[in-house]
Amino acid sequence: MLYTSTRDKSIRVTASEAIARGISDEGGLFVPVDLPEFSIDKITSMVSMSYIDRAKTVLKEFLTDFTEDELDYCVNGAYSAEKFSSPKIAPTVNIDGNKNILELWHGPTCAFKDMALQLLPYLMTVSAKKTADGKTIVILVATSGDTGKAALEGFKNVDNTKILVFYPVDGVSPMQKLQMTTQEGENVAVCAIKGNFDDAQSAVKSIFTDAGIKKQLAEKNMMFSSANSINWGRLVPQIVYYFSAYCDMLDMGKIKAGDKINVVVPTGNFGNILAGYYAKQMGLPIKTLVCASNSNNVLTDFLKTGTYDKNRDFYATTSPSMDILISSNLERLLYHMSGEDDGLVADLMSRLSVVGKYSVSDELLRKIQEIFDAGYTSEESVNSTIKSHYENYKYLCDTHTAVAVKVYDEYVKTTGDDIPTVIDSTASPYKFSASVLKAVLGENVPKLDEFEMVEELNRVTGVDVPAPLASLKNKKVRFSDVCEKEYMSRMVFKLLDL
């Protein structure tokens, strides 16, 4: 299988090249030239498999320049039993009728990013040996909270790599910040920026495509790559868990082979839901992909109107990983849905960069709306959803998952479409213990520090505290740098000691 760029479809690279480079030279994102097809028989054959074997079945279709031994090394290393607290890796839990929660947060950082970022370092290591000519790969990451820690944990002490993470100083939860600033590893560095996630992400993309910076790195035998979902190696592992969830629902007797399901995803950068789109295009029987947004509802507006406009108020919410106004992976969807019109995509992305908005044709919007629906919810509704689902089902969800649950409930009320549905649960509630505790207790929240909040939430609900979060309590903070967003490129060289 070969890959091309969303902004220049004449490009052809292997999977290894796409993963090692992260982003195409002209700023486009790598996408597969063709998608593999999975029949219902092939999907049902995966029901009896472990998650590791399901992953190998899907990934081998995309990583065709990896040998079987290389793929085994990557997948077995990523999803080993000691890294994940559930033997199913990503279990599907039925909580009410056709409502099924896909728990993606049983990995070492308690967020769905582990599903990809435990695998990416292995993919990167194998890819670099094939394509990077002995260079040290500098992984440059912008994070809205979860990607940063998951990438740091995945890449810590990996040979011939360095990883630099930038996060918005006031845009992550206290637990997310602690996870990053206490990170162990000799090849890691973390810096806060004065700005939001979009500022960090835009700066990272600019650094990636700066010829002068790349030349300076090359002189030191280094090259950039990405652990954000702009990297195909971050996105392709996420396709796996949609197939796995369907197999789990077959195994649970919630559906029969060939039955369609809906998928609801709390969405910020559009990568997680895009993986669902790829699964659907490959043959997984998904009827509708529902995009769930918080108050930063730029994606909902786009999917309803066809106009993407980031020129709007930015809200810092209790679901900070979704506090994003520039959703990078939407570019990939536009490429596919426009009939691979790289010129159109390049023009739309230029408009977004220069004026902050663009509109697509009615025909293109109609095609997108045949597959996607969307909704958003307020902070008040997030709190009431956490409270009601705990009280009614004894199921405790985090703030991001609550956004998806509420949007799903409203979708069913509006459309009557209540077929079996998978709702992505993207983080442990203990990553946002203050917000979740407030939702459960109402306004009767005692004044406590972060770890006292964790203990109180555990006392009130009886839900186990994940070991990786409990162990943070006595860890020493290693990283305290803060920089202006305009100086991120300078900070890159400082953190690399260049």
Side-chain angles (χ1 to χ4, degrees):
M1 178 176 285
L2 294 175
Y3 294 80
T4 189
S5 168
T6 52
R7 303 186 196 181
D8 183 356
K9 65 182 181 184
S10 68
I11 289 171
R12 292 290 186 273
V13 299
T14 63
S16 296
E17 289 173 299
I19 291 167
R21 288 166 59 180
I23 191 170
S24 189
D25 288 340
E26 81 294 343
L29 306 185
F30 290 115
V31 293
V33 173
D34 299 294
L35 286 173
E37 294 182 6
F38 275 56
S39 67
I40 291 300
D41 286 345
K42 184 168 185 176
I43 294 168
T44 55
S45 74
M46 297 165 64
V47 173
S48 60
M49 296 181 184
S50 67
Y51 190 88
I52 283 177
D53 287 334
R54 290 172 182 174
K56 290 177 185 176
T57 301
V58 174
L59 293 172
K60 71 180 180 182
E61 303 292 339
F62 289 97
L63 307 176
T64 53
D65 58 334
F66 282 55
T67 67
E68 187 174 342
D69 285 345
E70 287 170 338
L71 188 61
D72 285 347
Y73 160 75
C74 293
V75 178
N76 291 335
Y79 302 119
S80 59
E82 62 267 20
K83 292 182 178 181
F84 285 80
S85 61
S86 169
K88 285 184 170 290
I89 308 300
T92 305
V93 179
N94 178 265
I95 64 169
D96 180 39
N98 285 334
K99 187 184 292 186
N100 301 275
I101 304 292
L102 174 58
E103 294 183 345
L104 298 170
W105 44 263
H106 289 278
T109 78
C110 307
F112 84 100
K113 306 297 175 73
D114 289 326
M115 299 303 301
L117 282 165
Q118 283 301 303
L119 181 61
L120 181 60
Y122 290 94
L123 299 180
M124 188 74 75
T125 300
V126 172
S127 297
K129 287 179 180 176
K130 295 175 183 292
T131 66
D133 220 16
K135 290 184 173 67
T136 295
I137 296 181
V138 179
I139 310 295
L140 198 56
V141 178
T143 184
S144 55
D146 287 335
T147 290
K149 171 60 181 177
L152 289 162
E153 189 64 25
F155 279 96
K156 72 176 181 183
N157 296 326
V158 171
D159 290 343
N160 301 314
T161 66
K162 294 181 181 291
I163 176 164
L164 314 181
V165 170
F166 293 90
Y167 70 93
V169 66
D170 296 318
V172 300
S173 78
M175 187 65 79
Q176 288 174 315
K177 181 177 180 180
L178 265 175
Q179 284 187 297
M180 290 185 283
T181 58
T182 60
Q183 177 65 47
E184 299 169 349
E186 295 303 311
N187 63 334
V188 306
V190 178
C191 181
I193 71 154
K194 295 178 181 177
N196 59 35
F197 169 76
D198 292 319
D199 296 323
Q201 181 172 247
S202 295
V204 163
K205 284 186 175 180
S206 176
I207 292 167
F208 263 119
T209 54
D210 187 306
I213 294 176
K214 289 195 290 186
K215 182 174 182 291
Q216 286 178 273
L217 253 65
E219 290 169 356
K220 300 291 184 180
N221 203 34
M222 294 179 173
M223 64 177 282
F224 280 131
S225 191
S226 173
N228 284 96
S229 56
I230 57 175
N231 190 318
W232 177 251
R234 247 293 299 280
L235 194 55
V236 69
Q238 296 179 268
I239 299 171
V240 174
Y241 50 69
Y242 291 106
F243 282 93
S244 185
Y246 192 88
C247 290
D248 284 349
M249 290 175 69
L250 284 170
D251 194 41
M252 294 158 61
K254 297 299 178 184
I255 56 173
K256 296 177 182 177
D259 285 354
K260 289 193 174 184
I261 63 171
N262 289 331
V263 172
V264 185
V265 185
T267 311
N269 219 9
F270 209 74
N272 199 356
I273 197 167
L274 183 68
Y277 165 80
Y278 281 124
K280 174 179 170 66
Q281 298 306 106
M282 290 164 63
L284 192 68
I286 295 173
K287 177 176 175 283
T288 302
L289 291 152
V290 182
C291 176
S293 301
N294 62 18
S295 300
N296 295 294
N297 59 334
V298 64
L299 280 168
T300 299
D301 284 350
F302 170 73
L303 292 169
K304 296 289 188 185
T305 69
T307 294
Y308 194 102
D309 187 354
K310 74 180 183 72
N311 303 312
R312 60 179 65 212
D313 291 336
F314 175 86
Y315 299 100
T317 73
T318 57
S319 46
S321 297
M322 299 161 64
D323 291 346
I324 295 171
L325 294 180
I326 304 175
S327 302
S328 290
N329 278 289
L330 188 59
E331 176 172 344
R332 285 184 164 114
L333 181 73
L334 293 170
Y335 176 80
H336 294 300
M337 299 293 282
S338 67
E340 302 174 356
D341 190 339
D342 53 350
L344 172 67
V345 172
D347 178 61
L348 294 177
M349 294 306 104
S350 175
R351 289 171 187 261
L352 182 64
S353 176
V354 175
V355 299
K357 65 183 294 187
Y358 61 80
S359 296
V360 300
S361 68
D362 291 344
E363 181 185 2
L364 179 51
L365 178 62
R366 179 184 54 76
K367 288 181 180 178
I368 293 171
Q369 289 177 338
E370 288 175 356
I371 297 174
F372 290 87
D373 206 309
Y376 74 97
T377 191
S378 67
E379 290 288 274
E380 294 79 9
S381 294
V382 170
N383 290 341
S384 62
T385 300
I386 292 172
K387 184 177 178 66
S388 66
H389 276 68
Y390 175 68
E391 290 178 344
N392 294 334
Y393 313 117
K394 293 303 174 189
Y395 191 88
L396 189 66
C397 56
D398 87 297
T399 48
H400 305 73
T401 306
V403 169
V405 169
K406 178 63 176 176
V407 167
Y408 168 70
D409 288 343
E410 292 300 317
Y411 170 80
V412 171
K413 284 181 188 176
T414 302
T415 65
D417 182 15
D418 63 349
I419 66 172
T421 296
V422 168
I423 302 172
D424 284 10
S425 179
T426 55
S428 163
Y430 285 101
K431 292 199 77 167
F432 309 93
S433 53
S435 298
V436 174
L437 184 61
K438 181 179 178 181
V440 171
L441 295 180
E443 296 302 318
N444 304 312
V445 181
K447 293 194 175 185
L448 303 169
D449 69 22
E450 183 69 13
F451 288 99
E452 289 170 337
M453 287 279 189
V454 169
E455 292 165 2
E456 183 68 5
L457 185 58
N458 171 253
R459 186 190 69 77
V460 169
T461 66
V463 175
D464 291 340
V465 181
L469 299 183
S471 68
L472 284 173
K473 187 172 182 178
N474 299 313
K475 275 197 169 183
K476 181 182 177 182
V477 171
R478 293 184 63 201
F479 304 104
S480 57
D481 283 331
V482 182
C483 75
E484 301 287 345
K485 60 187 178 184
E486 296 83 4
Y487 299 130
M488 275 178 58
S489 58
R490 192 178 303 173
M491 182 58 72
V492 166
F493 286 99
K494 177 184 175 183
L495 296 176
L496 290 173
D497 293 322
L498 296 180

